[in-house]
Amino acid sequence: MNKLAIAIHGGAGTITPASLTPELEKAYRGALSRALEDGYRVLTEGGTALDAVELAVVRLEDSPLFNAGKGSVFTKEGKHEMDAAIMCGKTLEAGAVAGVRSIRNPIRLTRAILEHSDHVFLSGYGAEEFARKYDVAFEPEDYFYDPYRYQQWRDVRDTDVFMLDHSKERKFGTVGAVALDASGNLAAATSTGGMTNKNYNRIGDTPLIGAGTYANNTTCAISCTGHGEFFMRAVVAYDVSCLMEYKGYTLQQACDLVVMDKLVKFGGEGGLIAVDAAGNMALPFNSAGMYRGCRSTETDAMVAIYKD
Amino acid sequence: MNKLAIAIHGGAGTITPASLTPELEKAYRGALSRALEDGYRVLTEGGTALDAVELAVVRLEDSPLFNAGKGSVFTKEGKHEMDAAIMCGKTLEAGAVAGVRSIRNPIRLTRAILEHSDHVFLSGYGAEEFARKYDVAFEPEDYFYDPYRYQQWRDVRDTDVFMLDHSKERKFGTVGAVALDASGNLAAATSTGGMTNKNYNRIGDTPLIGAGTYANNTTCAISCTGHGEFFMRAVVAYDVSCLMEYKGYTLQQACDLVVMDKLVKFGGEGGLIAVDAAGNMALPFNSAGMYRGCRSTETDAMVAIYKD
């Protein structure tokens, strides 16, 4: 049997032991473990990497702890606008959405786009129209309501401040997953609610193929989290892939250069998760912490939050 | 004095001598020449590459001949939705918009984002709100009305067909410019009205940093045109840059591999314009034709439409 591997993240930022109560830390570890196990089970049961990353992200979107799906932060208008992308490393097919509202699981919508659309990237009302056509589930406004998130937004809504998910106090994050399946295929998926109090219908790196999300069987699958503007300008995910393909770097070498050197010099706080076609995994981050987990046929399940 | 260089494009596709009347061909050549000269003059007068590409694209957006700004095609709803991006190769700062309506020159809006926003990529109503704040010019609906474009849309609006700008009959295209200024700085800009009869608020490669638009003083400046979905999945602009940075390819070698080999095998019809930090230029396309032009301190002005 070929090697199987999956890695997940729930966001990166200034996450320290002091910033989480023991109860909250336990809740995060539990949510990460369940998403990891559900995604890994897809792989052991012979499912595709695409199915595994989709399910792992759905589990994280359904948790109120993370800034995606149910837990999405409030925009300046007091709404929820979500971005997501999914990519298949075998075919390089992809689906992405920006600025969608009321969609229970934006990652399921990106999968429908990958499967059924000639387009890759849909946005706003148009993406929602596509969702209705393919029976992607909607939820009423109050599904996305969370008292903490509401207070977080109330604190800054009349200012021009926008908050990165993890740049202040209690931390919430973009979610993502990458996987290698038994057929040797890679896939990546990322989903986010963006920045608290964001305005102007800002789009971040999450839904941009090559920036926040990328998969290619030749090299690796990548899902990013962090200060999206810097990740976009640095084309982070495809940069890791190109360092492997064009310079012969290992996955770890490529991730270390991009996340721990180039992004640090550039001022781009955050991290990523990555898996290559041989099942090697890397989960680098240059912030204080990153909600993360991984498991493969050769390594036990690992869930972590802070730096080692 | 350092070398100066500028290249522009007005779209790529199945453009053949049979597809243009002599009058129309003359009109295209005239519009391209004027945009090229106006952009080049910015450089000779000591202006920045950013100013040069912005002005060249404004000239092309103001022409009804190209699918950008005034000449933008109709969406499925009979509206005009425009995408654009601009990037500075010195700072890697960028501005991008998707799905904006009623903006006379979307490229001016991307420049305002680059200059004044902490964000890179704005969309829809939010981007329009930002435009009002920074006095970017709006136009009424009828400014964007063109009888030919209207008929082109009427022919397909009740179908699920969407048309690439250049895949049928009389051809219109995405526009772009790249430049090198006297200080050795590179810049790239791209603007488009997207696909005729597009729906679901589709976003193409044009506004995506690394896909349709990219600039980096270390390597090159790139503006793409073609079947956007393939350009996004192949992260075309950053691929050219990475081949130069990581494999030591020349600009021409990198462009040839990406456009004439990788994109052809992938099924991605189109082309791009590129300039590197030494003032070398490349204007490759794998389609029948590409509206294009270039000029530098070492080469006379050249404007062309078909293959040589």
Side-chain angles (χ1 to χ4, degrees):
Chain A
M1 186 171 149
N2 288 323
K3 190 165 175 179
L4 307 174
I6 185 167
I8 63 170
H9 71 75
T14 50
I15 312 162
T16 61
S19 65
L20 292 182
T21 63
E23 294 72 27
L24 200 52
E25 183 178 327
K26 191 177 168 194
Y28 273 110
R29 288 183 180 274
L32 289 166
S33 290
R34 286 188 293 276
L36 186 66
E37 291 312 310
D38 285 351
Y40 190 67
R41 192 175 312 114
V42 170
L43 299 174
T44 56
E45 290 174 354
T48 65
L50 263 184
D51 286 339
V53 297
E54 181 184 348
L55 184 64
V57 168
V58 163
R59 292 287 180 263
L60 296 167
E61 286 177 337
D62 288 346
S63 165
L65 292 172
F66 305 100
N67 176 21
K70 182 170 178 53
S72 294
V73 297
F74 287 83
T75 66
K76 196 168 179 74
E77 291 76 29
K79 305 286 184 185
H80 304 277
E81 284 184 1
M82 300 170 283
D83 302 343
I86 196 165
M87 187 165 190
C88 171
K90 179 185 180 186
T91 61
L92 302 185
E93 288 173 327
V97 292
V100 295
R101 288 140 296 195
S102 309
I103 304 287
R104 181 185 176 98
N105 293 110
I107 207 68
R108 290 222 191 275
L109 174 52
T110 64
R111 181 69 186 270
I113 293 167
L114 182 152
E115 303 280 356
H116 303 296
S117 179
D118 292 318
H119 298 318
V120 167
F121 194 7
L122 308 181
S123 60
Y125 292 113
E128 290 154 26
E129 185 190 342
F130 186 89
R132 276 186 286 273
K133 189 169 173 184
Y134 288 95
D135 293 327
V136 174
F138 282 70
E139 293 288 349
E141 191 97 341
D142 63 1
Y143 172 80
F144 301 95
Y145 177 79
D146 174 88
Y148 169 69
R149 285 292 163 70
Y150 186 71
Q151 191 55 47
Q152 188 185 37
W153 168 66
R154 285 282 299 265
D155 291 345
V156 293
R157 69 172 174 172
D158 295 326
T159 71
D160 280 332
V161 172
F162 52 84
M163 299 205 307
L164 275 180
D165 318 329
H166 296 269
S167 58
K168 297 262 193 293
E169 303 177 352
R170 204 172 132 198
K171 316 300 173 185
F172 293 81
T174 295
V175 306
V178 295
L180 170 68
D181 66 28
S183 301
N185 293 319
L186 296 172
T190 316
S191 181
T192 189
M195 292 171 165
T196 295
N197 210 41
K198 75 175 175 184
N199 58 3
Y200 303 128
N201 301 117
R202 173 258 189 189
I203 300 174
D205 66 313
T206 297
L208 307 194
I209 301 305
T213 307
Y214 187 71
N216 187 332
N217 279 4
T218 309
T219 52
C220 59
I222 306 269
S223 171
C224 298
T225 173
H227 197 150
E229 276 67 17
F230 291 89
F231 281 65
M232 293 165 72
R233 292 161 59 200
V235 203
V236 166
Y238 194 57
D239 201 25
V240 172
S241 177
C242 285
L243 282 164
M244 295 179 68
E245 185 171 1
Y246 300 146
K247 285 207 90 148
Y249 277 34
T250 65
L251 183 73
Q252 189 68 51
Q253 288 172 327
C255 287
D256 284 347
L257 179 62
V258 171
V259 177
M260 309 309 286
D261 186 56
K262 292 174 78 168
L263 269 177
V264 170
K265 288 172 184 160
F266 199 44
E269 183 185 7
L272 59 82
I273 53 171
V275 58
D276 69 16
N280 299 303
M281 291 184 285
L283 297 86
F285 56 97
N286 61 36
S287 46
M290 179 168 80
Y291 298 110
R292 63 199 188 279
C294 63
R295 182 170 179 185
S296 78
T297 36
E298 294 175 4
T299 55
D300 292 336
M302 181 281 290
V303 165
I305 299 177
Y306 317 115
K307 278 190 182 151
D308 296 331
Chain B
M1 185 170 149
N2 288 323
K3 191 166 174 179
L4 307 174
I6 185 167
I8 63 170
H9 71 75
T14 50
I15 312 161
T16 61
S19 65
L20 293 181
T21 62
E23 293 74 26
L24 200 52
E25 182 178 327
K26 190 177 169 193
Y28 273 110
R29 288 182 180 276
L32 289 166
S33 291
R34 286 188 293 277
L36 185 67
E37 291 312 311
D38 285 351
Y40 190 68
R41 191 176 312 112
V42 171
L43 299 175
T44 57
E45 291 174 353
T48 66
L50 262 184
D51 286 339
V53 297
E54 180 183 349
L55 184 64
V57 167
V58 162
R59 292 287 181 262
L60 296 167
E61 286 177 337
D62 287 346
S63 164
L65 292 172
F66 305 100
N67 176 22
K70 182 170 176 55
S72 294
V73 298
F74 286 84
T75 66
K76 196 168 179 74
E77 291 75 31
K79 305 287 184 185
H80 304 276
E81 283 184 0
M82 301 171 284
D83 302 341
I86 196 165
M87 187 165 187
C88 170
K90 178 185 181 186
T91 61
L92 304 184
E93 289 174 325
V97 292
V100 296
R101 287 140 295 196
S102 310
I103 304 288
R104 182 186 175 98
N105 293 110
I107 207 68
R108 290 222 191 274
L109 175 51
T110 65
R111 180 68 185 270
I113 293 167
L114 182 152
E115 303 279 356
H116 303 297
S117 178
D118 292 318
H119 297 319
V120 167
F121 194 8
L122 307 181
S123 60
Y125 293 112
E128 290 154 28
E129 186 190 340
F130 185 90
R132 275 185 289 271
K133 189 168 173 185
Y134 288 95
D135 293 327
V136 175
F138 282 69
E139 292 287 350
E141 191 98 341
D142 63 359
Y143 172 80
F144 302 95
Y145 177 80
D146 174 87
Y148 168 71
R149 283 292 163 69
Y150 186 69
Q151 190 57 47
Q152 187 185 37
W153 168 66
R154 285 282 299 263
D155 290 345
V156 292
R157 68 171 173 170
D158 295 327
T159 71
D160 280 332
V161 172
F162 53 84
M163 300 204 307
L164 276 180
D165 321 327
H166 296 269
S167 58
K168 299 262 192 292
E169 302 176 352
R170 203 171 132 199
K171 317 300 173 184
F172 293 81
T174 296
V175 307
V178 294
L180 170 68
D181 66 28
S183 302
N185 293 319
L186 296 172
T190 316
S191 181
T192 188
M195 293 172 163
T196 296
N197 210 42
K198 76 176 174 185
N199 57 4
Y200 304 128
N201 300 117
R202 173 257 191 191
I203 299 173
D205 66 312
T206 296
L208 308 194
I209 301 305
T213 306
Y214 188 71
N216 187 332
N217 279 3
T218 310
T219 52
C220 58
I222 306 270
S223 171
C224 298
T225 172
H227 196 150
E229 277 68 16
F230 291 90
F231 281 64
M232 292 165 73
R233 292 162 56 200
V235 202
V236 165
Y238 194 57
D239 202 26
V240 172
S241 177
C242 286
L243 283 164
M244 295 178 69
E245 184 171 1
Y246 299 145
K247 286 204 88 148
Y249 277 33
T250 66
L251 182 73
Q252 189 68 50
Q253 288 172 326
C255 288
D256 284 348
L257 179 62
V258 171
V259 177
M260 309 310 283
D261 185 56
K262 292 175 78 168
L263 269 178
V264 170
K265 288 172 183 162
F266 199 44
E269 184 184 6
L272 59 81
I273 54 172
V275 59
D276 69 17
N280 299 303
M281 290 185 284
L283 299 84
F285 55 98
N286 60 36
S287 47
M290 179 168 82
Y291 298 108
R292 63 199 186 278
C294 62
R295 183 169 180 186
S296 78
T297 35
E298 293 175 4
T299 55
D300 291 337
M302 181 283 289
V303 164
I305 299 177
Y306 318 114
K307 278 190 181 150
D308 294 331

